[in-house]
């Protein structure tokens, strides 16, 4: 358990829910301040002083996206918008000192963003002076505590400068945990061993949904099933670079196929099922199972190219960046994508995602089905690269944003 998770758990035990609503949001910067004192070398490279000028172009619509850059999406969406005439965009990201790093146009150390009032004011002034539109991820404030970490105050301040603001959600940030548990037979949220912070996630998501309701701004969602929690959201697909994942290696050519499972969050992905089922099939000689944790994103290209089958998520019901990367590599992707998500995709492009159905109850039969009909599995996998180019190379995402940017 990390510092923030430990603090949150302790606070939950000691304080009533009414107090938690006030206290929990104020804890987010505390681990960084403590870390700076305990390990100052980690923060030695933090640049001093206020914000530098934004490098936004001269487009009629000038968009800033940030600040979480979940799975690198703020950067990818900004690139997609920036590729269009008369549009310019950049990603503004507040970096955590640890964890995965993705490319960003403008990356600010977390301690600086939360600890420097000079930076906060200068960054707000730069955005207010140069941007015409702002897309805020997960209703998470762009400027640290400048507006008391209140996204409503922050958005109203941007709007007073004539800036159009929208919110994009990713999933857990707005997910109604109890509703997910009720509608999804494989939901992990009923098992505290899988998701020990489910109650905290639910409270945080409820706060975000309330803020979004108050704001009344345009809404976007990065996953096709997110409208179940935000009915007014427009789907803006996640973006990857298809060329970076392409390979000529056809899957399922060897007697014992390589099966990879590299979860971002094991409890949500159904990793305990993957480990049990695939571990047994590995011992019985049917597959070679490779469970991977903590792999740098840049190393995943070779991981997927070397795999035959990629097991993604067995519990949640949608698909995201990892599945797109595996499809772009032409791998056989096994994952649970519910009917709602499949229908949204089919309505958009006339086909369902080329993902072999597998969930927490059917993983073994799914794997055995692939092994029994390799030709069908290879045919499905072969559709992956074209599907990703059609829906997840940035063009569809830029199109989803166009009505907002034209306003």
């Amino acid at each position: 358990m990390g510092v923030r998770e430990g603090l949150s758990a302790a606070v939950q035990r000691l304080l009533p829910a009414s107090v938690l609503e006030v206290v929990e949001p104020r804890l987010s910067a505390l681990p960084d301040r403590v870390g700076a004192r305990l390990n100052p070398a980690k923060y030695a490279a933090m640049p001093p002083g206020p914000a530098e000028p934004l490098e936004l172009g001269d487009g009629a619509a000038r968009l800033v996206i940030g600040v979480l850059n979940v799975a690198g999406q703020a950067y990818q969406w900004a690139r997609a918008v920036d590729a269009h005439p008369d549009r310019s965009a950049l990603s503004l990201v507040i970096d955590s000192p640890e964890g995965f790093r993705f490319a960003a146009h403008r990356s600010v150390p977390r301690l600086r963003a939360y600890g420097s009032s000079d930076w906060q004011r200068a960054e707000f002034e730069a955005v207010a002076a140069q941007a015409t539109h702002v897309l805020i991820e997960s209703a998470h404030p762009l400027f640290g505590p400048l507006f008391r970490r209140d996204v409503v105050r922050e958005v109203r301040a941007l709007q007073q400068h004539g800036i159009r603001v929208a919110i994009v959600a990713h999933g857990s940030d707005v997910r109604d945990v109890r509703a997910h548990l009720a509608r999804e037979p494989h939901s992990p949220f009923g098992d505290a061993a899988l998701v020990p912070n489910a109650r905290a996630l639910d409270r945080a998501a409820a706060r975000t949904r309330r803020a979004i309701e108050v704001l009344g701004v345009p809404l976007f969602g990065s996953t096709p099933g997110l409208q179940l929690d935000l009915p007014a959201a427009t789907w803006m697909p996640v973006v990857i670079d298809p060329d970076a994942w392409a390979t000529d290696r056809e899957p399922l050519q060897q007697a014992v196929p390589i099966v990879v499972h590299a979860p971002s969050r094991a409890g949500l992905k159904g990793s305990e099922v993957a480990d049990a089922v695939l571990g047994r099939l590995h011992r019985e000689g049917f597959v070679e199972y490779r469970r991977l944790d903590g792999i740098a994103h840049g190393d995943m290209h070779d991981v997927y190219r070397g795999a035959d089958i990629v097991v993604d998520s067995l519990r949640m019901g949608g698909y995201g960046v990892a599945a797109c990367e595996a499809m772009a590599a032409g791998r056989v992707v096994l994952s649970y994508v519910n009917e709602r998500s499949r229908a949204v995709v089919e309505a958009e492009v006339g086909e369902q995602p080329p993902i072999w159905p597998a969930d927490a109850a059917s993983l073994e039969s799914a794997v055995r089905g692939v092994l029994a009909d390799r030709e069908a599995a290879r045919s499905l996998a072969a559709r992956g690269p074209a599907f990703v180019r059609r829906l997840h190379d940035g063009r569809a995402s830029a199109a989803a944003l166009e009505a907002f940017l034209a306003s």
Side-chain angles (χ1 to χ4, degrees):
M1 181 180 290
V3 175
R4 184 175 293 108
E5 290 77 8
L7 283 168
S8 180
V11 167
Q12 290 175 45
R13 288 193 299 269
L14 294 172
L15 297 179
S18 59
V19 179
L20 282 173
E21 291 287 325
V22 177
V23 172
E24 278 189 320
R26 300 175 184 270
L27 292 175
S28 62
L30 182 57
D32 300 291
R33 293 172 185 154
V34 173
R37 290 181 178 276
L38 297 178
N39 188 7
K42 183 185 295 185
Y43 299 89
M46 185 180 75
E52 299 81 10
L54 295 178
E55 295 182 1
L56 273 171
D58 298 325
R62 300 181 297 281
L63 174 67
V64 171
I65 308 176
V67 291
L68 302 179
N69 203 27
V70 174
Q73 290 307 293
Y75 175 74
Q76 294 289 359
W77 287 325
R79 287 188 66 203
V81 169
D82 202 56
H84 284 242
D86 210 27
R87 301 283 183 261
S88 59
L90 61 78
S91 52
L92 165 62
V93 177
I94 295 177
D95 260 336
S96 172
E98 298 176 353
F100 293 119
R101 296 282 181 93
F102 293 91
H105 296 96
R106 184 180 182 87
S107 181
V108 181
R110 184 177 176 88
L111 187 64
R112 182 182 181 193
Y114 282 90
S116 170
S117 57
D118 286 344
W119 178 86
Q120 295 155 21
R121 284 191 295 270
E123 193 75 340
F124 173 78
E125 291 168 2
V127 171
Q130 297 178 57
T132 60
H133 295 72
V134 168
L135 182 61
I136 300 178
E137 291 182 274
S138 305
H140 187 95
L142 295 177
F143 309 107
L146 181 61
F147 296 96
R148 303 180 188 176
R149 292 184 52 80
D150 184 338
V151 70
V152 175
R153 289 173 180 262
E154 183 173 282
V155 169
R156 297 303 184 225
L158 289 167
Q159 290 172 330
Q160 287 174 5
H161 284 76
I163 295 174
R164 292 274 293 159
V165 180
I167 302 291
V168 58
H170 292 283
S172 294
D173 46 4
V174 294
R175 182 179 295 115
D176 185 328
V177 166
R178 287 169 291 185
H180 189 274
L181 184 59
R183 70 175 177 257
E184 291 291 355
H186 311 291
S187 175
F189 295 116
D191 189 338
L194 298 178
V195 192
N197 62 336
R199 291 177 59 193
L201 287 173
D202 199 33
R203 284 194 298 269
R207 285 194 297 268
T208 301
R209 293 195 304 271
R210 287 196 296 270
I212 287 172
E213 184 176 359
V214 169
L215 285 170
V217 299
L219 303 177
F220 297 90
S222 66
T223 55
L226 190 137
Q227 287 99 338
L228 290 169
D229 294 299
L230 283 184
T234 297
W235 182 33
M236 184 172 65
V238 297
V239 176
I240 70 166
D241 177 2
D243 291 332
W245 301 89
T247 176
D248 293 330
R249 179 182 174 274
E250 192 175 35
L252 299 174
Q253 295 297 318
Q254 53 198 23
V256 179
I258 296 171
V259 182
V260 166
H261 178 56
S264 55
R265 298 180 69 179
L268 298 184
K269 295 281 190 174
S271 298
E272 80 291 351
V273 175
D275 290 344
V277 170
L278 297 172
R280 177 164 47 77
L281 293 176
H282 175 98
R283 293 189 296 274
E284 293 173 358
F286 291 104
V287 302
E288 179 182 333
Y289 178 45
R290 299 179 181 175
R291 163 66 185 272
L292 304 173
D293 291 296
I295 303 297
H297 185 253
D299 295 333
M300 289 303 297
H301 300 78
D302 290 336
V303 169
Y304 284 166
R305 289 181 188 129
D308 296 290
I309 300 169
V310 174
V311 175
D312 183 29
S313 177
L314 303 173
R315 294 190 176 277
M316 297 306 293
Y319 77 95
V321 171
C324 289
E325 292 167 346
M327 285 189 284
R331 303 305 91 190
V332 180
V333 181
L334 271 61
S335 190
Y336 170 50
V337 182
N338 61 28
E339 290 304 314
R340 164 69 181 180
S341 296
R342 288 182 178 273
V344 170
V345 174
E346 188 168 22
E348 184 74 19
V349 294
E351 65 173 315
Q352 295 190 2
I355 293 175
W356 192 286
D359 56 42
S362 66
L363 177 60
E364 180 169 355
S365 63
V367 173
R368 291 188 183 277
V370 168
L371 298 181
D373 194 347
R374 295 185 179 219
E375 190 56 40
R378 279 193 291 264
S379 177
L380 184 71
R383 290 169 43 203
F387 174 84
V388 171
R389 287 185 185 279
R390 187 175 181 186
L391 194 52
H392 296 287
D393 71 350
R395 291 173 294 171
S397 306
L401 281 169
E402 184 54 31
F404 167 61
L405 295 177
S407 62

